[in-house]
Amino acid sequence: MSTKATPSSSSSSSQRSAGSSAYNIIDSHLHVWANEIESKQYKYEDGQTPPESLKNNANVLSLITKMKESNVDGALIVQPINHKYDHSYVLEEAMKKYPNKFKGMLLHDPLLSSKDAVIRLEELALQGFVGVRYNPYLWPLLEENNNIDGAITSSSSKNNMLMSTPNGSGLAVYKRCGELNMPVGIMCFKGLDLHINDIRSLLESSSKTMMILDHFSFTSLSTTNDVFQQLLQLGKDYPNQLIIKISALFRLGDRNGYPYTRLQKERFEPLLEVFGSDRLMFGSDFPFVLEQQESYSGTIDLISNVWLKDYPETVKTAIMGGTAERLFGKWG
């Protein structure tokens, strides 16, 4: 059960140095992909070549360098769209070579049948993947009132089949993830309000499955407060199932930029109050954060030593690594 946090003037705001604390700093949201040389072996998905500015800055060795500089102990790699459903780069170059540093979250293929999708999930789980990502925009396009698997459906995401469609692979994998203790992360890139009913249906389908919403569930400062209130209500309605990533701060519409004071006051602090620190977890969104003012180390320092400076150490411990290790197992 979540515990609400209250500020504490006695907590330390000093920079955490390597080996100075009993807790691990875990980056719960980042991506890696092959650089130009590695891509001769690990091909990019057609049409998903990385942007030129990041093409050679997002491979595993580049990430390890950034992690060492910032005293980050481990990371959850979310399978990148650049390699789509080919998980070999994350598996071979990260998870197998650096098992104490990296865990992986696989990308679900919604075009598979329910049976094949569950088989694929189990295969990748046996290879070490610890979670599943749902990108709702990869689900097939859906005409209004189209008949899917014998059921009339409509799409709350406007033109994509629902993740929770009865008899669909999304629902089957979501339920199996509960049995396998594998959290499911969802990217609501176009806004939480487009997926709120779909998300509720998934939550209702399996009380054993932990759901993670990426990047504040994209309840940016440019969205209405009503949408943010929907997210807070989800936290109240599903206190044992729902986790929020405090990640990709630069994507959340704070026009004043770093140090994102509005985002802290209007989004982070209400989330902490409702969800508690044991249902929030830090993520950088590497490599995209490299192009932002704060860069990689600045993001870690901002959350840990600015946003959380007046909270008890237990709050910092949970958000900066404890929640991730509770969900995905210990690193190192």
Side-chain angles (χ1 to χ4, degrees), residues 80-143:
I81 195 65
N82 313 89
H83 296 296
K84 209 168 184 180
Y85 306 124
D86 179 358
H87 293 76
S88 57
Y89 182 72
V90 172
L91 178 63
E92 299 295 333
E93 298 300 322
M95 294 166 59
K96 286 187 176 180
K97 288 186 177 180
Y98 305 95
N100 292 329
K101 289 288 184 184
F102 298 122
K103 298 178 187 287
M105 175 173 271
L106 67 94
L107 179 62
H108 169 65
D109 180 357
L111 299 183
L112 294 175
S113 69
S114 296
K115 180 180 179 181
D116 289 343
V118 170
I119 290 173
R120 182 64 172 148
L121 166 70
E122 293 171 347
E123 289 173 346
L124 289 171
L126 287 173
Q127 294 179 66
F129 284 85
V130 295
V132 180
R133 187 183 215 197
Y134 279 15
N135 179 343
Y137 314 106
L138 294 176
W139 261 255
L141 294 178
L142 179 69
E143 297 295 333

Side-chain angles (χ1 to χ4, degrees), residues 11-27 70-75 100-101 277 280-282 299-309 311-326 329-332:
S11 62
S12 172
S13 62
S14 62
Q15 176 73 35
R16 173 193 180 271
S17 60
S20 67
S21 177
Y23 71 90
N24 284 336
I25 292 181
I26 304 299
D27 189 339
S70 305
N71 296 318
V72 173
D73 299 287
N100 292 329
K101 289 288 184 184
S277 59
L280 303 179
M281 57 186 180
F282 147 77
T299 299
I300 298 162
D301 184 65
L302 174 63
I303 297 175
S304 179
N305 297 311
V306 179
W307 284 17
L308 293 174
K309 69 177 181 178
Y311 288 91
E313 189 74 6
T314 53
V315 173
K316 182 185 294 188
T317 298
I319 293 174
M320 298 307 296
T323 301
E325 292 198 305
R326 177 170 59 85
K330 293 288 185 179
W331 267 256

Side-chain angles (χ1 to χ4, degrees), residues 255-310:
R255 295 180 180 178
N256 295 324
Y258 186 86
Y260 306 113
T261 304
R262 274 196 65 205
L263 185 65
Q264 176 190 1
K265 298 296 182 183
E266 297 179 29
R267 292 294 185 262
F268 172 69
E269 290 180 1
L271 283 171
L272 182 56
E273 174 66 21
V274 170
F275 281 78
S277 59
D278 60 337
R279 291 200 290 155
L280 303 179
M281 57 186 180
F282 147 77
S284 69
D285 203 20
F286 174 95
F288 303 104
V289 72
L290 298 179
E291 298 186 315
Q292 309 304 314
Q293 179 183 349
E294 64 272 23
S295 192
Y296 188 74
S297 60
T299 299
I300 298 162
D301 184 65
L302 174 63
I303 297 175
S304 179
N305 297 311
V306 179
W307 284 17
L308 293 174
K309 69 177 181 178
D310 294 326

Side-chain angles (χ1 to χ4, degrees), residues 61-293:
L61 292 180
S62 296
L63 173 59
I64 286 177
T65 298
K66 292 298 182 183
M67 290 171 63
K68 286 182 178 178
E69 293 173 351
S70 305
N71 296 318
V72 173
D73 299 287
L76 179 73
I77 299 173
V78 180
Q79 173 70 9
I81 195 65
N82 313 89
H83 296 296
K84 209 168 184 180
Y85 306 124
D86 179 358
H87 293 76
S88 57
Y89 182 72
V90 172
L91 178 63
E92 299 295 333
E93 298 300 322
M95 294 166 59
K96 286 187 176 180
K97 288 186 177 180
Y98 305 95
N100 292 329
K101 289 288 184 184
F102 298 122
K103 298 178 187 287
M105 175 173 271
L106 67 94
L107 179 62
H108 169 65
D109 180 357
L111 299 183
L112 294 175
S113 69
S114 296
K115 180 180 179 181
D116 289 343
V118 170
I119 290 173
R120 182 64 172 148
L121 166 70
E122 293 171 347
E123 289 173 346
L124 289 171
L126 287 173
Q127 294 179 66
F129 284 85
V130 295
V132 180
R133 187 183 215 197
Y134 279 15
N135 179 343
Y137 314 106
L138 294 176
W139 261 255
L141 294 178
L142 179 69
E143 297 295 333
E144 187 176 1
N145 294 328
N146 191 25
N147 191 297
I148 302 292
D149 288 331
I152 302 297
T153 60
S154 61
S155 177
S156 62
S157 55
K158 293 187 178 180
N159 59 356
N160 289 89
M161 187 171 127
L162 295 174
M163 297 177 286
S164 62
T165 296
N167 303 319
S169 66
L171 189 61
V173 166
Y174 190 82
K175 291 179 177 179
R176 184 67 177 126
C177 281
E179 298 168 345
L180 296 174
N181 196 29
M182 296 178 69
V184 174
I186 299 178
M187 182 187 71
C188 302
F189 190 75
K190 297 180 181 179
L192 172 65
D193 52 320
L194 300 179
H195 307 284
I196 187 73
N197 293 330
D198 203 7
I199 284 170
R200 282 187 174 274
S201 294
L202 287 174
L203 287 164
E204 290 292 332
S205 73
S206 173
S207 61
K208 294 181 179 180
T209 307
M210 296 299 294
M211 179 187 289
I212 302 166
L213 298 180
D214 298 342
H215 310 334
F216 294 71
S217 195
F218 287 93
T219 53
S220 74
L221 293 172
S222 61
T223 60
T224 66
N225 189 58
D226 288 346
V227 176
F228 184 58
Q229 292 302 317
Q230 288 181 321
L231 178 59
L232 296 181
Q233 191 60 51
L234 279 177
K236 296 172 183 177
D237 292 344
Y238 302 96
N240 300 312
Q241 295 172 248
L242 192 62
I243 307 291
I244 306 298
K245 283 185 179 178
I246 305 303
S247 53
L249 310 185
F250 56 90
R251 296 186 187 273
L252 277 299
D254 192 335
R255 295 180 180 178
N256 295 324
Y258 186 86
Y260 306 113
T261 304
R262 274 196 65 205
L263 185 65
Q264 176 190 1
K265 298 296 182 183
E266 297 179 29
R267 292 294 185 262
F268 172 69
E269 290 180 1
L271 283 171
L272 182 56
E273 174 66 21
V274 170
F275 281 78
S277 59
D278 60 337
R279 291 200 290 155
L280 303 179
M281 57 186 180
F282 147 77
S284 69
D285 203 20
F286 174 95
F288 303 104
V289 72
L290 298 179
E291 298 186 315
Q292 309 304 314
Q293 179 183 349

